[in-house]
Amino acid sequence: MFNFSYQNPTRIVFGEGQISQLANLVPKGSKILLTYGGGSIKHNGVYQQVMQALDGFEVVEFSGIEPNPSFETLLKAVDIVKTQGINYLLPVGGGSVIDGTKFIAAAALYQGDPWDILAKRAPISAALPLGCVLTLPATGTESNGNSVVTRYSTQQKLSFASPLVYPQFAVLDPTVTYSLPPKQVANGVVDAFVHVMEQYMTYPVNAAVQDRFAEGLLLTLLEQGPLALKDPHNYDVRANVMWAATMALNGLIGQGVPQDWATHMIGHELTALYGLDHAQTLAIVLPALLQQQRSQKREKLIQYGKRVFNLQHTDEERLIDETIAHTRAFFEQMGVPTRLADYGVTSEAVDAVLAKLEHHKMLKLGEHGDITLEVSRKILTAAL
Ligand code: NZQ
Ligand code: ZN
């Protein structure tokens, strides 16, 4: 196991009815900017619960944060923060609303051009405090320091990370996920699954705790994901999916182990260019990447096949083939197709994505830094 230093400062407030706790979670006297997306919270009762809980606070609203939040939209919120003296941010929504609000938190106190936070990964020295209400289990953003923002004019989807933008608290009420469309349920499960894989499917470093935790999360998502589609109002299923997605990317399972993230980096370019949902890109790239990197990932692929899919073949090549096939089949079972062609994306995409990867200096991806542009080309070609 590698050395590590780990702290996750986000207080998780979990369970039905917990939105009412907001009054105790947001610091007294705060002037709040309540941020949200396209209005789902107005149809499922979440907005009303939040406003009721914030009775007595000064609340300014900012709506319209898009899926894959837009840099330009977020700058409008930064203006409101500055002109109205906002001192606390409260995103209520999915990963896009929370990521976007982390960017607002950083950009509002940034001295230079806020685009540099993303394009140059310019370090930030301050951010406004935020807490969040999560409505879509998927990204783990509710208790991590990451944010992904898209600049539509240049088709760039870029991220930044800072300990300063961890939410102070995250309210996780599984009942608010009942209203999710099946596509978003599936996306969330696939995203969380791939987050675990990015931190687990590398090479062994004798990190038994991290491996067993990761395998537990994968097994949970394999079991509960399909149940969430079949039985949408099952509280226990929704609760398990929600907690698994948080645990998948709150930093815990990634401590002391090598990490990959090539699937995400290639996937972000696909979203920026073709507008595919984040999870759709992951379902496309991961199976092709596992096949391409099967010799580097050999030991962990075998471990994953045996422990997660219970495969027992003595022929290890066959075991790896079936392990990758089971992974692809799970995404398909969730209703997330795994080929570019399934989304109408054709072979011209290969060169287009490679040009973007090159522009963003994604030249040595993966846990060994051996996913060069040529290897990315093979992965994308295999994913057509
Ligand atoms: O905008 P509204 O009206 O709220 O509708 C949203 C949106 O259309 C809807 N939705 C959310 N909760 C709902 C609901 N509809 C009904 N009932 C509810 N309870 O779902 C749609 C998608 O929402 P979005 O926030 O875009 O989805 P997700 O949570 O999957 O977030 C995706 C974004 O997160 C980034 C992705 O790249 C993408 O931009 N990621 C962030 C990460 C992080 N910060 O650590 C890691 C991830 O790998 C990922 O890159
Ligand atoms: Zn993801």
Side-chain angles (χ1 to χ4, degrees):
M1 200 188 306
F2 305 152
N3 293 355
F4 64 88
S5 164
Y6 177 58
Q7 181 182 25
N8 187 320
T10 303
R11 172 185 296 278
I12 303 290
V13 181
F14 193 98
E16 181 164 15
Q18 295 307 299
I19 292 175
S20 61
Q21 293 294 324
L22 281 175
N24 309 317
L25 294 165
V26 178
K28 296 278 169 279
S30 298
K31 183 165 182 186
I32 303 168
L33 185 68
L34 167 66
T35 57
Y36 55 97
S40 69
I41 66 166
K42 293 247 167 119
H43 305 295
N44 59 10
V46 171
Y47 174 85
Q48 289 78 354
Q49 288 184 62
V50 168
M51 292 310 276
Q52 202 178 344
L54 293 178
D55 192 29
F57 282 92
E58 222 182 319
V59 182
V60 176
E61 290 183 33
F62 183 82
S63 64
I65 298 181
E66 312 81 352
N68 305 308
S70 144
F71 174 72
E72 289 84 355
T73 302
L74 301 172
L75 287 187
K76 291 182 191 151
V78 171
D79 271 348
I80 294 175
V81 167
K82 287 182 178 170
T83 54
Q84 304 219 22
I86 299 290
N87 57 20
Y88 204 88
L89 303 178
L90 182 67
V92 179
S96 295
V97 171
I98 299 174
D99 276 11
T101 306
K102 289 176 177 179
F103 180 75
I104 298 166
L109 301 186
Y110 189 70
Q111 299 304 327
D113 176 357
W115 179 239
D116 291 347
I117 298 172
L118 298 156
K120 298 187 181 159
R121 294 267 179 114
I124 58 164
S125 51
L128 283 176
L130 69 144
C132 66
V133 177
L134 180 72
T135 63
L136 198 175
T139 61
T141 187
E142 64 277 9
S143 73
N144 70 36
N146 308 332
S147 163
V148 192
V149 172
T150 299
R151 191 168 194 166
Y152 284 85
S153 54
T154 54
Q155 293 185 309
Q156 283 173 291
K157 182 169 182 174
L158 299 174
S159 64
F160 80 102
S162 166
L164 295 167
V165 297
Y166 271 84
Q168 293 183 334
F169 63 81
V171 178
L172 271 56
D173 177 344
T175 65
V176 312
T177 71
Y178 292 163
S179 60
L180 281 168
K183 180 172 112 160
Q184 297 301 343
V185 175
N187 279 349
V189 169
V190 169
D191 192 22
F193 192 92
V194 179
H195 292 158
V196 180
M197 291 292 276
E198 299 275 27
Q199 300 163 87
Y200 165 78
M201 184 43 63
T202 57
Y203 55 89
V205 292
N206 290 313
V209 173
Q210 293 88 327
D211 278 7
R212 293 290 189 185
F213 275 20
E215 288 152 4
L217 293 171
L218 294 172
L219 283 163
T220 301
L221 291 163
L222 281 165
E223 177 189 85
Q224 307 278 317
L227 292 177
L229 290 177
K230 205 175 351 163
D231 191 7
H233 286 262
N234 185 319
Y235 180 83
D236 293 324
V237 168
R238 295 298 199 161
N240 285 321
V241 168
M242 204 168 202
W243 187 222
T246 299
M247 291 294 293
L249 199 50
N250 65 0
L252 184 67
I253 63 167
Q255 298 305 315
V257 298
Q259 302 191 15
D260 182 336
W261 295 104
T263 297
H264 269 72
M265 294 305 111
I266 299 171
H268 284 175
E269 304 299 0
L270 283 168
T271 298
L273 283 167
Y274 303 106
L276 300 188
D277 292 350
H278 173 61
Q280 294 172 335
T281 71
L282 307 176
I284 292 165
V285 177
L286 184 73
L289 181 141
L290 294 180
Q291 188 59 263
Q292 175 62 34
Q293 298 297 95
R294 61 187 284 154
S295 59
Q296 293 90 326
K297 294 181 183 291
R298 181 182 181 83
E299 286 176 74
K300 289 303 274 290
L301 277 167
I302 292 169
Q303 176 180 322
Y304 164 60
K306 286 183 176 168
R307 293 187 186 173
V308 175
F309 293 117
N310 203 20
L311 298 173
Q312 307 293 349
H313 309 298
T314 44
D315 176 348
E316 291 186 340
E317 294 310 317
R318 186 168 160 217
L319 192 144
I320 292 172
D321 283 342
E322 288 196 13
T323 299
I324 298 171
H326 274 71
T327 307
R328 183 187 293 282
F330 173 58
F331 299 157
E332 298 274 354
Q333 181 196 359
M334 290 302 295
V336 186
T338 58
R339 300 275 178 194
L340 281 164
D342 297 325
Y343 303 90
V345 177
T346 54
S347 55
E348 293 96 82
V350 176
D351 281 335
V353 172
L354 286 170
K356 285 281 181 191
L357 287 170
E358 187 167 17
H359 180 60
H360 295 138
K361 300 195 173 60
M362 301 287 173
L363 309 174
K364 290 179 174 182
L365 298 173
E367 67 273 19
H368 299 290
D370 62 353
I371 303 187
T372 59
L373 288 181
E374 261 328 289
V375 179
S376 291
R377 176 182 294 284
K378 288 183 185 163
I379 292 167
L380 286 158
T381 306
L384 281 169

